[in-house]
Amino acid sequence: MVWAELSQTHFFTEYIMNGVSEEQNEIYLEFDPTLLARSLGSLRMTAKSVKIKLTNKRQPCLTIEIELPSLSMESRQCLHDVPVRVIPRREWTEHQAPNIPEFHISVDMPQLKHVKHIVERMKNMSPQLTLSADKTGVFVLKIDTDSATVSTHFQKLQVWNCSQQSQEDKISATIDIKKFFMFLAWDITHPDGVKCNILQDKMVNLFLHVADYVKIQYFLPSVSI
């Protein structure tokens, strides 16, 4: 599961929204993220402005109005309609922010580009990856194959909290390596920091932030070996 929070004041110079009521000033939408990503592809060009509106065009849509520069006096406008489903209030409880458990260890990750370079090769050797860390700031990526065990060790990383009693033991969890590799694509955002939180043999939570305006929570359940 991925949970992302974007700062309204950072991304929007004008923001108007009326929810279902004054007490519940919220709107929940469900849509295909691939369609939204394609619609925003026009932003690869230099856009003068972008507006996102919730409209009703035979069905609810996110209408994206992109104003593009032009050689003439008149600017060009590009419109995209992304179909959405407005989630009724009776289903809101299914879409609340996830409960964050108390993890056994929380440690800063190395730069994602270095981790990505290693995991890209590991995923061709094994479908599973074991992440482990200890109170001294050692972070380990490890795979097991029929013929070998391959591991990479990073040292002297910042440890934020740790329930580990013995310095000999490491806290670890084994996860799907391809899903972990997908997270590493967030390196493109040049994050200010990434934390790896591990719940022994149960879950890995990866927390990424870009300044104070983008926060990403990525949850990976452990897999049986």
Side-chain angles (χ1 to χ4, degrees), residues 53-69:
K53 300 178 180 179
L54 178 60
T55 58
N56 190 2
K57 299 183 177 181
R58 296 186 180 178
Q59 72 173 89
C61 291
L62 275 180
T63 296
I64 302 168
E65 300 177 359
I66 303 174
E67 186 179 1
L68 300 171

Side-chain angles (χ1 to χ4, degrees), residues 106-111 133-140 153-160:
S106 176
V107 60
D108 277 346
M109 281 188 63
Q111 289 188 27
D134 65 24
K135 62 169 60 175
T136 66
V138 174
F139 180 74
V140 181
H153 296 242
F154 298 90
Q155 298 181 341
K156 298 181 180 179
L157 298 173
Q158 174 71 49
V159 177
W160 295 96

Side-chain angles (χ1 to χ4, degrees), residues 49-184:
S49 66
V50 181
K51 292 182 181 180
I52 302 177
K53 300 178 180 179
L54 178 60
T55 58
N56 190 2
K57 299 183 177 181
R58 296 186 180 178
Q59 72 173 89
C61 291
L62 275 180
T63 296
I64 302 168
E65 300 177 359
I66 303 174
E67 186 179 1
L68 300 171
S70 173
L71 295 176
S72 64
M73 294 295 292
E74 296 182 358
S75 61
R76 296 177 297 152
Q77 192 173 58
C78 182
L79 292 177
H80 296 277
D81 291 321
V82 179
V84 300
R85 171 179 172 258
V86 179
I87 298 174
R89 271 184 284 183
R90 64 178 179 274
E91 298 179 21
W92 282 12
T93 55
E94 301 173 18
H95 303 278
Q96 299 301 310
N99 292 322
I100 308 297
E102 186 173 340
F103 293 100
H104 293 122
I105 193 167
S106 176
V107 60
D108 277 346
M109 281 188 63
Q111 289 188 27
L112 293 189
K113 63 180 180 180
H114 299 318
V115 178
K116 184 178 180 181
H117 180 74
I118 295 165
V119 175
E120 188 170 17
R121 284 152 180 77
M122 284 183 163
K123 70 182 177 69
N124 296 323
M125 302 170 64
S126 172
Q128 298 173 349
L129 172 71
T130 299
L131 300 183
S132 61
D134 65 24
K135 62 169 60 175
T136 66
V138 174
F139 180 74
V140 181
L141 307 168
K142 186 183 77 170
I143 59 170
D144 290 302
T145 70
D146 293 336
S147 57
T149 295
V150 181
S151 63
T152 299
H153 296 242
F154 298 90
Q155 298 181 341
K156 298 181 180 179
L157 298 173
Q158 174 71 49
V159 177
W160 295 96
N161 62 67
C162 180
S163 62
Q164 177 187 7
Q165 300 298 321
S166 170
Q167 193 164 319
E168 302 296 323
D169 299 329
K170 284 184 168 58
I171 295 169
S172 63
T174 300
I175 55 176
D176 185 306
I177 194 169
K178 290 184 178 179
K179 291 180 179 178
F180 179 70
F181 185 71
M182 289 172 62
F183 169 80
L184 300 177

